[in-house]
């Protein structure tokens, strides 16, 4: 059984409860982002974030495990029925199909560009991002097993795509070829960069230059 929680397709109207949850999550993210951008991570507290978003600490921890996670506001690992159906019906290669799935999550994030800036400017946010990618890897492994010829190929493909996602996030904003491109296209390009690095030559030893 997959650990991915399917949700209604994006075109279906959200319930009032779903809209309220989405609004609360966004308010917490926006408050955390603004406070850390202004004062830094160390000087920002969960209490300050809660006060700015007008919620309790208990509510905060229902949405985010830490203030770092709230600042990044990474998308929850939740896929629509449509995205799951496309993956399960896809033909061809596993890695591009996984790029479509992971890209779906990245496209759902409203603040990918400024998240990249924060990760680059504030290394202390790195552990929260690493924890999220670890969760992402295990979630997508369960899905990949449905379509892979073996568990080994599923785990390898997922590791490659999740690494590509991390590389995409850590690529400086000014180096983006086209930030308006679908995330899946950028992910596949990062996969090619990772694979290409396998045969990249080494520079001459410093003493021989």
């Amino acid at each position: 059984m997959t650990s991915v929680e399917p949700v209604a397709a994006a075109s279906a109207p959200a319930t009032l409860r779903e809209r309220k949850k989405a609004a609360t999550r966004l308010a917490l993210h926006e408050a955390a982002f603004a406070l850390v951008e202004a004062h830094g991570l160390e000087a920002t507290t969960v209490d300050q974030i809660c006060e700015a978003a007008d919620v309790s600490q208990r509510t905060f921890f229902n949405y985010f495990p830490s203030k770092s996670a709230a600042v990044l506001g990474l998308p929850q690992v939740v896929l629509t029925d449509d995205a799951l159906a496309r993956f399960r019906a896809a033909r061809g290669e596993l890695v591009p199909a996984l790029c479509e799935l992971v890209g779906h999550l990245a496209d759902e994030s409203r603040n990918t560009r400024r998240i990249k800036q924060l990760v680059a400017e504030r290394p202390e946010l790195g552990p929260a991002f690493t924890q999220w990618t670890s969760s992402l890897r295990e979630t997508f492994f369960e899905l990949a097993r449905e379509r892979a010829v073996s568990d080994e190929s599923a785990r390898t493909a997922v590791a490659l795509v999740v690494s590509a996602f991390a590389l995409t996030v850590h690529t400086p904003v000014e180096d983006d070829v086209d930030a308006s491109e679908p995330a899946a296209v950028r992910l596949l390009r990062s996969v090619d960069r990772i694979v290409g690095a396998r045969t990249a030559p080494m520079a001459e030893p410093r003493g021989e230059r």
Side-chain angles (χ1 to χ4, degrees):
M1 180 180 296
T2 177
S3 59
V4 175
E5 176 188 351
V7 296
S11 58
T15 65
L16 177 60
R17 181 170 179 270
E18 289 169 341
R19 292 197 300 272
K20 285 183 175 180
K21 287 179 66 175
T24 299
R25 190 175 192 280
L26 180 60
L28 284 167
H29 166 56
E30 293 289 353
F33 183 93
L35 285 165
V36 170
E37 193 170 42
H39 308 295
L41 183 66
E42 191 66 29
T44 298
T45 67
V46 171
D47 281 338
Q48 290 172 329
I49 296 170
C50 292
E51 182 179 356
D54 194 24
V55 302
S56 66
Q57 270 206 25
R58 180 178 179 181
T59 297
F60 174 90
F61 287 109
N62 284 337
Y63 288 86
F64 296 104
S66 67
K67 60 183 179 182
S68 296
V71 174
L72 290 172
L74 290 166
Q76 294 173 299
V77 186
V78 177
L79 295 167
T80 65
D81 289 335
D82 184 55
L84 290 170
R86 286 200 306 272
F87 175 75
R88 287 170 173 148
R91 296 180 180 276
E93 299 173 346
L94 180 59
V95 166
L98 286 171
C99 283
E100 287 285 344
L101 272 181
V102 179
H104 171 81
L105 290 179
D107 285 334
E108 288 297 308
S109 177
R110 299 185 178 193
N111 302 305
T112 302
R113 193 173 182 84
R114 63 181 184 176
I115 286 171
K116 292 175 70 169
Q117 290 176 321
L118 269 179
V119 170
E121 295 169 1
R122 301 185 183 277
E124 64 269 30
L125 293 174
F129 180 78
T130 300
Q131 182 179 24
W132 183 82
T133 55
S134 177
S135 172
L136 186 74
R137 183 179 293 108
E138 290 307 311
T139 297
F140 280 92
F141 171 63
E142 293 301 321
L143 273 174
R145 292 177 70 188
E146 298 181 17
R147 302 301 312 277
V149 296
S150 68
D151 281 3
E152 181 181 2
S153 63
R155 194 170 293 280
T156 301
V158 169
L160 182 58
V161 174
V162 172
S163 296
F165 180 83
L167 179 62
T168 300
V169 169
H170 285 88
T171 298
V173 174
E174 60 270 18
D175 291 347
D176 278 345
V177 175
D178 185 353
S180 66
E181 278 185 328
V185 175
R186 299 197 301 275
L187 276 175
L188 203 52
R189 185 182 298 117
S190 292
V191 166
D192 291 339
R193 288 171 60 191
I194 292 171
V195 174
R198 166 66 179 82
T199 56
M202 296 176 67
E204 293 295 327
R206 292 187 178 183
E208 298 180 12
R209 293 179 185 176

